[in-house]
Amino acid sequence: KKLCSFVIDKENPNICVEKGIIYSKCGKCALTTPYAPRHLHIKEGVEVIEKVAFWYNENLESVTFPSTLKKIGDNSFGGCPKLKEVKLPEGFEECVVQCFMEDEELEMVDLPSTMKELNHETFYGCHNLRTLIIRTKSVLVTDRDSKFPLDIPARCTLKVPKDLIEEYRNSPYWNHIERIESI
């Protein structure tokens, strides 16, 4: 709360800052921001959002993800109580442990067809999640070693490709969801 300003030297060999967000020098990793913005626009070229990058931003309402994004690290957006919607771009592959943990107002998540695996705790504590859209061409697997079900509210509507509805209903990871319907 006492931080008034900070400076990252333009000659810093490891990190740079653009529009208040700290990135790796190569521009492929979003690291953090010392601010608590309401709207976050992550620049094109970023492939990874590092763990705890935007953790506990109590003001964050929306995020614009770059088309180049592949992975979101542990707790990257955990504890962002005003974040309501997340739409991840085609090409995105991996949400890691608790990356949206305890986002109390998160209502809608849209996952692309390129998603490879979902951790069972990705949405831990997101009790208001109402709609989860999964665009993958096969049933999205959860972390293979987990013996726990996905932490997604049973009252959430799961929207999947029409030809996968029955497979999702019969999946031990997804069958607790009451409403599974076509995208």
Side-chain angles (χ1 to χ4, degrees), residues 33 35-37 52-60 75-82 98-99 101-104 124:
T33 181
Y35 307 110
V52 302
F54 305 105
W55 191 38
Y56 281 100
N57 177 340
E58 294 181 357
N59 297 323
L60 190 62
N75 294 299
S76 293
F77 293 95
C80 297
K82 294 181 181 176
Q98 301 174 345
C99 63
M101 175 184 80
E102 297 177 356
D103 288 353
E104 298 161 2
Y124 175 81

Side-chain angles (χ1 to χ4, degrees), residues 7 39 42 57-58 62 70 74 81-82 88 99 115 125 128 133 135-136 139 146-147 155 166 168 176:
V7 176
H39 308 288
I42 300 169
N57 177 340
E58 294 181 357
S62 68
K70 303 277 185 230
D74 299 1
K82 294 181 181 176
L88 294 164
C99 63
M115 187 85 177
N128 287 312
I133 301 168
R135 299 179 184 278
T136 57
V139 175
S146 174
K147 294 180 175 49
R155 69 184 180 286
E166 284 307 310
Y168 273 95
H176 73 285

Side-chain angles (χ1 to χ4, degrees), residues 1-9 17 20 22 33-35:
K1 293 184 177 182
K2 294 181 181 181
L3 181 66
C4 295
S5 66
F6 71 98
V7 176
I8 295 176
D9 190 305
V17 64
I22 301 172
T33 181
Y35 307 110

Side-chain angles (χ1 to χ4, degrees), residues 1-106:
K1 293 184 177 182
K2 294 181 181 181
L3 181 66
C4 295
S5 66
F6 71 98
V7 176
I8 295 176
D9 190 305
K10 290 180 182 179
E11 302 303 316
N12 186 304
N14 301 307
I15 59 176
C16 61
V17 64
E18 288 183 39
K19 298 182 180 178
I21 299 175
I22 301 172
Y23 297 100
S24 61
K25 195 67 162 192
C26 67
K28 292 185 178 183
C29 296
L31 303 174
T32 193
T33 181
Y35 307 110
R38 286 183 2 180
H39 308 288
L40 193 59
H41 182 86
I42 300 169
K43 72 177 188 166
E44 282 297 317
V46 169
E47 295 178 3
V48 176
I49 297 174
E50 288 295 335
K51 61 184 173 182
V52 302
F54 305 105
W55 191 38
Y56 281 100
N57 177 340
E58 294 181 357
N59 297 323
L60 190 62
E61 295 175 8
S62 68
V63 181
T64 302
F65 296 103
S67 65
T68 51
L69 188 65
K70 303 277 185 230
K71 178 181 176 180
I72 297 176
D74 299 1
N75 294 299
S76 293
F77 293 95
C80 297
K82 294 181 181 176
L83 186 62
K84 289 186 182 235
E85 292 187 10
V86 170
K87 182 174 173 132
L88 294 164
E90 280 299 316
F92 182 80
E93 298 175 351
E94 185 180 4
C95 284
V96 187
V97 179
Q98 301 174 345
C99 63
F100 295 102
M101 175 184 80
E102 297 177 356
D103 288 353
E104 298 161 2
E105 294 302 316
L106 188 61

Side-chain angles (χ1 to χ4, degrees), residues 94-102 115 117-126 129 132 140-153 172-174 176-177:
E94 185 180 4
C95 284
V96 187
V97 179
Q98 301 174 345
C99 63
F100 295 102
M101 175 184 80
E102 297 177 356
M115 187 85 177
E117 187 172 311
L118 187 65
N119 183 278
H120 73 279
E121 292 185 325
T122 297
F123 302 110
Y124 175 81
C126 295
L129 187 60
L132 177 59
L140 186 60
V141 296
T142 61
D143 40 336
R144 295 169 189 1
D145 297 329
S146 174
K147 294 180 175 49
F148 301 101
L150 285 165
D151 192 5
I152 295 174
Y173 295 107
W174 298 99
H176 73 285
I177 305 291

